[in-house]
Amino acid sequence: QHCFTKSEDGYLYCEGLRVHDIMESVERRPFYLYSKPQITRNVEAYKDALEGLNSIIGYAIKANNNLKILEHLRHLGCGAVLVSGNELKLALRAGFDPTRCIFNGNGKILEDLTLAAQAGVFVNIDSEFDLENIVEAARRAGKRVNVLLRINPDVDPQVHPYVATGNKNSKFGIRNEKLQWFLDAVKEHPNELKLVGAHCHLGSTITKVDIFRDAATIMINYIDEIRAQGFEVDYLNIGGGLGIDYYHSGAILPTPRDLIDTVRELVLSRGLNLIIEPGRSLIANTCCLVNRVTGVKTNGSKNFIVIDGSMAELIRPSLYDAYQHIELVSPAPSNAETATFDVVGPVCESADFLGKGRELPTPAKGTGLVVHDAGAYCMSMASTYNLKMRPPEYWVEDDGSVSKIRHGETFEDHVRFFEGL
Ligand code: LLP
């Protein structure tokens, strides 16, 4: 069951409500529209898959940092994965249990690490200088920090290079040849550091679970080696990265169960607790960006649908050449011709496109047009470029009502930054 369905009447529905009607009822467009029940279903799929394992689902906040969504994920039992002090503060505000939170990153600063030490979250060690900073943060906080070694397992995730993180030349993690240095350094700081596990993250949009099995096998060998030196490590963190069906092609992609099943026996064989860090696979398919068609034009042999949304609200197509499925929310008039369009926004540069070469019926002005799978890395990467202020967010609740879950940013918000200077 998926929240967005195109019905035979030609309208797009979200949990039984016409997206067109929602679009007409809200104060401004574009806006992000989520399904709360879909978020629940996605978390339940992970929970079911993890049955019989001691585990933490660490939701990667960077994918979507809406406070209402975070509160819901926390309520469903998720922990959180953080990459900045502000994400840590937001996680605490959303009520996440700090002992189910993990602070990640290759450039964590001392102030943020001190907050992390005070809060009692897990911290991943990424480099020599990072270890030094964690030791200093532990001293400042007067607390011993539970740390994991972020290991770079050198596995090719077969994804866009910008979202590959666990191959040997990436900026993240610790390489094999330095492992002993880190183990010795941890031993030298028994009052500051408690080594509890090992972490890896391979990349994002991964659609082959064999890649996770390869990485887990490598990681288990590391854990054996670390344990052989007397460390009592109990956690294997295999990161996030599971991809989703952006193409809506009907292709069968690995599910959370497929992912967990490929590592289950390895984890059980060593009596480990499993930490996973999904972002995209929990939240991407719960949302679309709803836009209105401003007009249609043709230049030479190219047809364009111009919408009110843009690369400012949703940058993934411009930045990674990412495909996100696009469709109209209402039936096209019977005489509408189908053509091949680039779907573009009003921003003043040619990188401003949401989709290229899409077959669509020629829409009338004012028609609603959605960009699907916009729950992850869309709003959280939105900007105010061209002073297109960040859009409001809504969700369909469990009872089928629509609530605003984030105010849209306004012009006044922008000018406020200059007050009193
Ligand atoms: N854990 C770590 C250490 C990560 O770096 C990431 C994502 C995740 C977990 C969550 O990965 P996910 O399950 O969402 O794939 N902006 C890009 C994606 C960047 C991913 C960064 N790291 C995009 O829009 O595709």
Side-chain angles (χ1 to χ4, degrees):
Q1 184 191 0
H2 186 255
C3 54
F4 293 105
T5 47
K6 193 75 171 254
S7 144
E8 284 184 358
D9 62 8
Y11 282 93
L12 182 72
Y13 287 79
C14 178
E15 303 290 353
L17 302 181
R18 273 188 186 175
V19 175
H20 172 80
D21 297 343
I22 300 172
M23 177 182 83
E24 295 300 335
S25 70
V26 301
E27 90 232 17
R28 78 186 224 206
R29 288 143 295 269
F31 63 98
Y32 281 101
L33 178 66
Y34 298 82
S35 156
K36 187 178 185 186
Q38 185 67 44
I39 299 174
T40 309
R41 291 193 289 268
N42 289 356
V43 174
E44 293 303 330
Y46 267 106
K47 281 202 209 162
D48 289 348
L50 287 161
E51 271 260 327
L53 292 174
N54 286 325
S55 63
I56 297 176
I57 302 174
Y59 165 68
I61 290 190
K62 71 183 99 174
N64 189 310
N65 54 32
N66 183 298
L67 186 56
K68 296 286 174 192
I69 291 175
L70 296 184
E71 286 170 352
H72 184 50
L73 290 166
R74 185 261 302 157
H75 170 76
L76 294 169
C78 293
V81 170
L82 326 159
V83 290
S84 68
N86 285 339
E87 285 194 356
L88 170 58
K89 286 190 228 164
L90 198 67
L92 296 176
R93 182 172 297 201
F96 283 98
D97 173 356
T99 66
R100 297 174 73 78
C101 291
I102 304 101
F103 188 23
N104 257 316
N106 68 308
K108 303 187 282 302
I109 58 171
L110 186 55
E111 288 80 348
D112 292 349
L113 283 168
T114 307
L115 272 183
Q118 277 159 354
V121 303
F122 292 105
V123 177
N124 283 336
I125 303 177
D126 187 84
S127 63
E128 292 88 337
F129 73 77
D130 197 37
L131 183 139
E132 270 169 35
N133 285 343
I134 298 167
V135 168
E136 177 59 22
R139 287 187 184 136
R140 290 189 180 186
K143 295 232 180 126
R144 193 176 183 205
V145 181
N146 287 325
V147 291
L148 291 85
L149 287 177
R150 174 160 184 172
I151 291 172
N152 179 329
D154 191 13
V155 171
D156 177 7
Q158 303 173 28
V159 296
H160 190 285
Y162 290 5
V163 296
T165 49
N167 38 358
K168 71 176 173 213
N169 293 324
S170 117
K171 69 172 179 173
F172 298 100
I174 295 163
R175 295 269 294 133
N176 185 28
E177 58 272 18
K178 288 194 176 164
L179 179 68
Q180 195 56 50
W181 185 93
F182 283 90
L183 295 179
D184 292 342
V186 170
K187 275 187 200 152
E188 279 167 32
H189 298 98
N191 299 324
E192 290 87 6
L193 306 178
K194 180 168 196 288
L195 184 63
V196 298
H199 168 257
C200 68
H201 172 74
L202 308 173
S204 208
T205 68
I206 298 170
T207 52
K208 296 187 185 123
V209 285
D210 288 358
I211 293 167
F212 290 100
R213 184 189 291 119
D214 295 349
T217 308
I218 294 169
M219 293 299 288
I220 292 282
N221 289 334
Y222 278 109
I223 286 189
D224 289 346
E225 205 176 323
I226 296 169
R227 281 179 167 173
Q229 297 202 25
F231 291 98
E232 287 174 25
V233 291
D234 297 325
Y235 290 91
L236 171 63
N237 183 337
I238 57 165
L242 188 64
I244 63 147
D245 180 19
Y246 278 112
Y247 286 91
H248 292 208
S249 63
I252 312 280
L253 292 181
T255 61
R257 179 173 301 279
D258 297 330
L259 166 62
I260 302 304
D261 282 351
T262 56
V263 301
R264 173 179 292 273
E265 290 312 316
L266 280 172
V267 170
L268 286 173
S269 71
R270 301 300 195 279
L272 290 163
N273 303 313
L274 179 66
I275 304 178
I276 53 169
E277 304 183 336
R280 190 185 318 272
S281 54
L282 277 182
I283 197 73
N285 73 351
T286 70
C287 170
C288 56
L289 180 69
V290 184
N291 313 273
R292 221 203 250 289
V293 172
T294 308
V296 173
K297 70 185 274 187
T298 299
N299 272 351
S301 59
K302 262 212 166 309
N303 305 314
F304 298 91
I305 297 175
V306 184
I307 58 174
D308 48 11
S310 71
M311 68 185 292
E313 292 82 7
L314 197 157
I315 200 174
R316 299 190 67 258
S318 309
L319 189 57
Y320 314 112
D321 230 343
Y323 180 97
Q324 293 188 215
H325 198 60
I326 286 176
E327 65 183 331
L328 303 178
V329 306
S330 44
S334 50
N335 60 351
E337 250 178 73
T338 293
T340 304
F341 292 99
D342 283 6
V343 178
V344 302
V347 163
C348 293
E349 60 175 284
S350 296
D352 180 28
F353 62 90
L354 285 303
K356 285 195 163 167
R358 305 299 175 90
E359 290 276 313
L360 289 165
T362 305
K365 272 192 204 170
T367 306
L369 176 150
V370 295
V371 181
H372 279 288
D373 303 307
Y377 307 108
C378 292
M379 183 59 167
S380 66
M381 294 176 77
S383 74
T384 58
Y385 189 39
N386 283 207
L387 282 192
K388 283 187 95 310
M389 309 313 288
R390 273 178 278 247
E393 297 183 295
Y394 296 82
W395 68 15
V396 178
E397 304 261 9
D398 295 336
D399 66 4
S401 59
V402 178
S403 307
K404 191 191 261 192
I405 55 170
R406 179 177 177 140
H407 296 294
E409 222 170 351
T410 62
F411 175 72
E412 286 67 35
D413 291 326
H414 181 72
V415 292
R416 205 169 38 82
F417 292 120
F418 308 94
E419 276 168 18
L421 298 178

